[in-house]
């Protein structure tokens, strides 16, 4: 399939740090996110053109905080959450904290919320930070989620969404890119799946989309995930299920010729299920300082 361009420069900018970097309540997003290979940038917490989700209508959503940065995640099991591999580099795994049952990120003591540290982090063995292939990470929590109205599991999809299928995503982030402030509440967005061949043609991603990637676009013109819904689930089907994990987009999140891309969970379902049963052989992430 050929090289997809180097994403190396973004290794130092996996997640855009919040000003102050002190806890869930930090709000501003300083500076610009560097692009990689001239085309792509990893998504950081933000939905442009979406709307606030009904409180606890997506009880599977989890908020992954790493120091002053963040990603989305999905609760698959009482001890496991799924996110993107680029969200949590090995050196930062001991800093990770996952909040479940959250709606308003300014209030991490919100009723119905539980907080966990990361017991083990299991990236897909084929994850490639240059091509962004296999951008998946399973997080084992240092405790068990108590299921309730605000905290529920979501299943994995059994079929790849077809082109034209309507799906959705959610995350905490910038609703208006002009002011650069994170949304205090969970935002959601309806999207449609694009044909992979079209997404890979010379007008769009020019051959950079791998066989386990899913391109999608917002239903409304100018709507898209951006700067931070990385790691959040692409949810499809009449019975909501995780069909993908948000991975990357172009420099301009709303560029119609560089649509956002998710990693397929359907094509990695056996690996995900194996890790949920057996773990990945690491009981606790190493503290690398």
């Amino acid at each position: 399939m050929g090289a997809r361009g180097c994403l190396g420069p973004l290794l130092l900018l996996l997640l855009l740090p919040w000003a102050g970097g002190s806890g869930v309540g930090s709000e501003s997003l300083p500076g610009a996110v560097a692009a990689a290979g001239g085309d792509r940038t990893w998504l950081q917490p933000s939905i442009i053109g979406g709307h606030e989700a009904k409180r606890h209508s997506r009880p599977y959503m989890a908020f992954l905080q790493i120091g002053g940065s963040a990603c989305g995640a999905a609760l698959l099991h009482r001890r496991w959450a799924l996110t993107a591999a680029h969200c949590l580099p090995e050196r930062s795994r001991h800093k990770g904290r996952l909040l479940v049952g959250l709606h308003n990120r300014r209030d991490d003591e919100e009723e119905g919320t539980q907080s966990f540290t990361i017991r083990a982090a299991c990236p897909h063995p084929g994850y490639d930070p240059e091509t962004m292939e296999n951008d998946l990470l399973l997080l084992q929590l240092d405790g068990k989620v108590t299921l309730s109205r605000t905290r529920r599991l979501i299943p994995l999809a059994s079929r790849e969404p077809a082109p034209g299928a309507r799906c959705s995503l959610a995350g905490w982030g910038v609703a208006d890119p002009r002011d650069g402030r994170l949304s205090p509440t969970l935002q959601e967005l309806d999207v449609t799946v694009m044909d992979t061949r079209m997404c890979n043609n010379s007008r769009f991603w020019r051959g950079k989309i791998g066989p386990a990637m899913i391109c999608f676009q917002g239903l409304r013109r100018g709507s898209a995930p951006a700067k931070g819904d990385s790691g959040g689930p692409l949810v499809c089907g009449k019975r909501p299920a995780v069909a993908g994990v948000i991975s990357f987009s172009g420099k301009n999140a709303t560029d119609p010729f560089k649509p956002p891309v998710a990693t397929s969970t359907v094509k990695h379902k056996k690996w995900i299920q194996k890790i949920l049963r057996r773990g990945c052989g690491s009981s606790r992430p190493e503290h690398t300082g």
Side-chain angles (χ1 to χ4, degrees):
M1 187 165 53
R4 292 188 177 78
C6 180
L7 286 173
L10 275 183
L11 284 172
L12 300 178
L13 289 167
L14 286 169
L15 294 167
L16 191 60
W18 302 338
S22 57
V24 176
S26 302
E27 291 190 18
S28 48
L29 289 169
V33 179
D39 282 327
R40 293 178 285 190
T41 183
W42 287 329
L43 294 167
Q44 318 300 334
S46 173
I47 286 181
I48 298 170
H51 59 271
E52 182 176 348
K54 182 180 178 182
R55 183 177 289 269
H56 304 307
S57 62
R58 295 176 182 262
Y60 53 81
M61 282 298 300
F63 184 85
L64 175 61
Q65 185 177 359
I66 315 100
S69 303
C71 267
L75 193 63
L76 300 185
H77 182 279
R78 291 178 69 185
R79 288 189 181 272
W80 290 92
L82 176 67
T83 188
H86 76 259
C87 283
L88 194 61
E90 187 174 356
R91 66 182 180 276
S92 300
R93 287 174 190 168
H94 66 284
K95 300 177 183 178
R97 182 172 70 125
L98 194 84
L99 285 87
V100 295
L102 184 70
H103 179 74
N104 189 334
R105 69 171 181 82
R106 287 179 178 166
D107 182 9
D108 59 354
E109 295 183 359
E110 177 181 341
E111 184 179 357
T113 300
Q114 284 185 286
S115 176
F116 298 90
T117 55
I118 306 304
R119 179 180 177 86
C122 306
H124 191 282
Y127 168 56
D128 187 331
E130 293 190 357
T131 64
M132 298 300 286
E133 290 183 288
N134 309 307
D135 187 16
L136 297 177
L137 176 69
L138 281 160
L139 300 174
Q140 185 178 17
L141 310 183
D142 196 19
K144 187 179 288 187
V145 174
T146 302
L147 300 181
S148 70
R149 179 182 63 85
T150 65
R151 301 179 297 273
R152 293 182 185 172
L153 310 181
I154 186 169
L156 294 167
S158 56
R159 294 182 180 180
E160 195 85 357
R166 182 165 172 168
C167 301
S168 67
L169 53 89
W172 291 265
V174 179
D176 184 349
R178 293 171 297 182
D179 66 17
R181 291 186 175 273
L182 296 173
S183 168
T185 55
L186 183 66
Q187 303 288 303
E188 62 184 5
L189 178 68
D190 290 328
V191 300
T192 53
V193 173
M194 297 177 64
D195 181 83
T196 301
R197 289 173 297 180
M198 182 178 76
C199 191
N200 239 345
N201 72 25
S202 59
R203 294 183 64 204
F204 293 91
W205 277 111
R206 302 183 180 183
K208 296 176 182 178
I209 302 304
M213 295 179 182
I214 301 170
C215 291
F216 59 93
Q217 58 188 352
L219 286 180
R220 291 175 51 201
R221 183 180 179 86
S223 64
K227 293 182 182 175
D229 279 297
S230 257
L234 179 67
V235 176
C236 305
K238 291 182 180 179
R239 182 191 176 205
V242 180
V245 170
I246 311 306
S247 183
F248 66 88
S249 70
K251 291 181 186 179
N252 177 357
T254 58
D255 181 352
F257 298 108
K258 289 291 182 286
V261 178
T263 302
S264 169
T265 55
V266 176
K267 291 179 178 173
H268 294 94
K269 190 172 183 178
K270 289 184 178 179
W271 173 78
I272 294 170
Q273 291 174 329
K274 177 183 174 182
I275 298 299
L276 294 181
R277 288 194 307 267
R278 305 178 187 175
C280 58
S282 173
S283 61
R284 184 172 292 277
E286 292 183 3
H287 288 233
T288 55

